[in-house]
Amino acid sequence: MLLLTPGPLTTGPETRAAMDVDHGSRDPTFVALTRRVRDRLTALATPAAGWTTVPLQGSGTFAVEAMIGTFVPRDGGVAVLVNGAYGQRMVQIARVAGRHVVAVVADEAQAPDLAALDQVLEGDPRLTHVAVVWSETTTGQVNPLEAAAAVARRHGRRLLVDGMSAFGALPADVDALGVEALAASANKCLEGVPGVAFVIARAESLAGAAGRAHALSLDLHDQWRRFEADGQWRFTPPTHVLAALDRALDLHAAEGGVAGRGARYRANLAVLVEGLARLGLRPLLPPERQGPIIVTFPAPAHPAWDFERFYEALRGRGFAIYPGKLTAAPTFRVGCIGQVYPDDLRRFVDAVGTTLAELGLTPGDAG
Ligand SMILES: *Cc1c(COP(=O)(O)O)cnc(C)c1O
């Protein structure tokens, strides 16, 4: 079964095999493994000095929640650019953490509203931070990180990035952008297994964040100090998952790092979009805002359309896809990430063609 979904996603046999060892958390081998993974992740984010990575047990949301809780002061606040479910989730996280939050909302099919952000920052001095989703997995839209960073910089605010489904495949230098921290996880473009997430941050910002976090287990400052002191995790580390991530980072480097990984995903995207267009299915987003991570397709406007049957039939042919996450119209999503290659996408396009015919949606009807 190929998972054409943005997490959990298809992993490689070597990555899974790396989990076949039990590591003691205090064992020097594991302490060195943790150090190595932290350094490799930092190096993927920027060549600049003064940056560090704090890994955290859990799925990606745990890291986003830890980032907001650790960096936004209790008497500060965050303006969140929202154009999808993951932006909305950061708003919810900030509310639960009791932080002042302003949602700057744009339509899911549109770019973030930077003019509105500009006004909001102008009028609300309590807002110390701006938060943005780099690749909004709700639709597959890549948000303009540089432009958002420029607005934050102009107003002297700090920028927090949910880089979950972009980090490792889309290029950016967090130091040059003026980012304060970026959250991501093992099980997106790095193609590790689920169970560990991480925040890449300026060490100076981490040092200044003592006592801010609203939850002990999500306190990145505290975990960072422990790593710096003796290399240890505060609580039971996901040892097998970290070993798999270390191996996945080898494969990432062997593929040519961020550039190589991004190139394969773009090749996957091209096969997918061209193939489904021949079947009358076209992406929701225009090409200039469509990222190479996941694609949202509006469902065929045809009475015979039935997502559940479509999903089950594709599953029977060895492919798992995603339901749409849009509130407005029925859609479905197909991921381009994980251990999948253009040939897999070619087979997928064929499977979609067969399935549409089976459902009574012949190619000519599908658009
Ligand atoms: C996957 C993802 C997350 C984290 O989701 P989890 O289910 O907690 O792993 C957060 N933000 C974005 C943009 C994502 O794609």
Side-chain angles (χ1 to χ4, degrees):
M1 177 73 100
L2 274 189
L3 303 179
L4 300 180
T5 57
L9 43 75
T10 309
T11 56
E14 291 168 78
T15 298
R16 294 192 301 272
M19 293 188 287
D20 205 19
V21 182
D22 294 323
H23 293 279
S25 64
R26 292 172 169 275
D27 190 85
T29 318
F30 183 71
V31 171
L33 176 84
T34 298
R35 179 81 243 177
R36 183 165 67 245
V37 168
R38 289 179 59 210
D39 289 346
R40 296 174 89 178
L41 293 171
T42 308
L44 287 178
T46 181
W51 285 79
T52 189
T53 297
V54 184
L56 188 73
Q57 300 89 335
S59 82
T61 303
F62 290 68
V64 177
E65 193 147 31
M67 175 174 75
I68 289 173
T70 301
F71 291 105
V72 179
R74 294 193 187 201
D75 59 354
V78 58
V80 183
L81 287 165
V82 178
N83 60 342
Y86 292 99
Q88 201 56 56
R89 186 176 295 174
M90 288 204 283
V91 173
Q92 200 184 349
I93 285 171
R95 282 208 181 108
V96 169
R99 300 301 195 271
H100 172 54
V101 55
V102 177
V104 181
V105 182
D107 187 86
E108 290 164 321
Q110 300 301 322
D113 191 343
L114 296 180
L117 175 67
D118 193 64
Q119 285 195 345
V120 161
L121 294 178
E122 190 64 49
D124 189 343
R126 274 181 74 193
L127 295 169
T128 49
H129 286 74
V130 172
V132 63
V133 179
W134 186 356
S135 162
E136 187 34 277
T137 320
T138 309
T139 52
Q141 178 164 196
V142 174
N143 286 329
L145 211 47
E146 293 203 34
V151 176
R153 203 179 314 120
R154 199 160 64 239
H155 290 273
R157 313 301 167 85
R158 292 165 182 256
L159 185 66
L160 302 176
V161 179
D162 171 352
M164 209 67 56
S165 72
F167 185 73
L170 300 183
D173 177 342
V174 287
D175 187 73
L177 282 171
V179 165
E180 178 169 55
L182 175 145
S185 89
N187 187 231
K188 292 271 165 93
C189 303
L190 298 177
E191 301 183 356
V193 304
V196 73
F198 51 88
V199 175
I200 300 169
R202 293 177 188 273
E204 193 183 53
S205 293
L206 275 167
R212 273 188 198 157
H214 59 299
L216 176 67
S217 61
L218 300 177
D219 187 341
L220 296 172
H221 167 86
D222 201 44
Q223 177 59 85
W224 170 69
R225 281 203 8 212
R226 186 71 195 273
F227 281 139
E228 295 303 306
D230 64 4
Q232 301 279 333
W233 293 66
R234 293 174 303 163
F235 313 118
T236 306
T239 45
H240 301 74
V241 173
L242 208 73
L245 177 56
D246 191 38
R247 189 73 190 103
L249 286 167
D250 292 341
L251 300 176
H252 183 265
E255 192 170 13
V258 173
R261 182 69 39 104
R264 172 159 59 87
Y265 292 171
R266 280 192 299 280
N268 288 348
L269 174 76
V271 171
L272 175 69
V273 169
E274 283 159 27
L276 292 197
R278 284 198 302 276
L279 300 172
L281 295 167
R282 289 187 178 78
L284 173 81
L285 297 172
E288 65 275 13
R289 285 189 280 116
Q290 174 66 61
I293 309 301
I294 186 167
V295 187
T296 298
F297 294 94
H302 190 290
W305 171 256
D306 178 341
F307 177 78
E308 289 308 323
R309 284 185 64 202
F310 186 62
Y311 178 88
E312 278 306 320
L314 286 173
R315 191 172 174 279
R317 297 189 161 91
F319 299 98
I321 63 164
Y322 242 36
K325 211 171 182 166
L326 291 200
T327 38
T331 54
F332 66 92
R333 291 181 294 166
V334 183
C336 301
I337 68 177
Q339 274 294 297
V340 295
Y341 292 81
D343 273 342
D344 298 313
L345 273 302
R346 277 183 202 101
R347 289 191 298 110
F348 173 72
V349 168
D350 290 345
V352 171
T354 313
T355 301
L356 288 177
E358 212 173 74
L359 294 179
L361 294 157
T362 56
D365 300 335

